[in-house]
Amino acid sequence: MSKPAYRKHAIYVIDPTNGEKTSLSALAKRHGLSTSLVNKRYHDGKRGQELIERYDRRREAELQRQQLSEREARIDRAFWTNAWGLACPMKRLGEVVHRGGSVQ
């Protein structure tokens, strides 16, 4: 008898702690993580120890803050490069590379 169409096949991986083959859901339960987190990590390409490392909200928030500040700095540099570039003579345009660049 065949399985119903709505059932999916489990994905099996090697548990990095003991080396035995187990499903993602069993791996998540064994290490006290949510099944959806382990599935997301697996589909994002993470394998081995990366699948079961603890989720640290503070580290994740700090990483997001850092990425946001880097993005804002890039936007700010682009704005000021364009603004200073439009305000300086054409022969000095190459000197304008970042905010605070020479425009005189």
Side-chain angles (χ1 to χ4, degrees):
M1 180 170 198
S2 66
K3 292 182 181 178
Y6 62 85
R7 291 194 58 190
K8 297 179 182 178
H9 296 287
I11 298 172
Y12 287 88
V13 294
I14 303 296
D15 186 343
T17 57
N18 59 13
E20 71 180 48
K21 191 173 183 179
T22 182
S23 67
L24 287 179
S25 59
L27 183 70
K29 287 177 189 174
R30 183 177 298 153
H31 293 282
L33 299 169
S34 96
T35 305
S36 60
L37 175 66
V38 175
N39 278 318
K40 182 184 179 318
R41 287 178 178 175
Y42 180 83
H43 290 292
D44 286 345
K46 296 183 179 180
R47 301 293 186 267
Q49 193 64 33
E50 292 178 325
L51 281 174
I52 58 171
E53 63 186 24
R54 287 300 208 192
Y55 181 72
D56 185 7
R57 290 180 189 219
R58 279 183 245 146
R59 190 182 86 202
E60 190 69 28
E62 181 60 35
L63 181 63
Q64 287 179 353
R65 268 194 298 277
Q66 182 182 6
Q67 290 172 344
L68 182 61
S69 67
E70 289 171 358
R71 182 177 182 268
E72 288 174 347
R74 279 194 313 272
I75 290 171
D76 194 44
R77 263 194 318 275
F79 171 78
W80 285 107
T81 299
N82 290 337
W84 289 112
L86 292 172
C88 76
M90 192 64 129
K91 64 182 178 180
R92 307 233 10 232
L93 191 58
E95 296 175 13
V96 181
V97 291
H98 58 79
R99 183 177 183 184
S102 176
V103 294
Q104 297 166 340

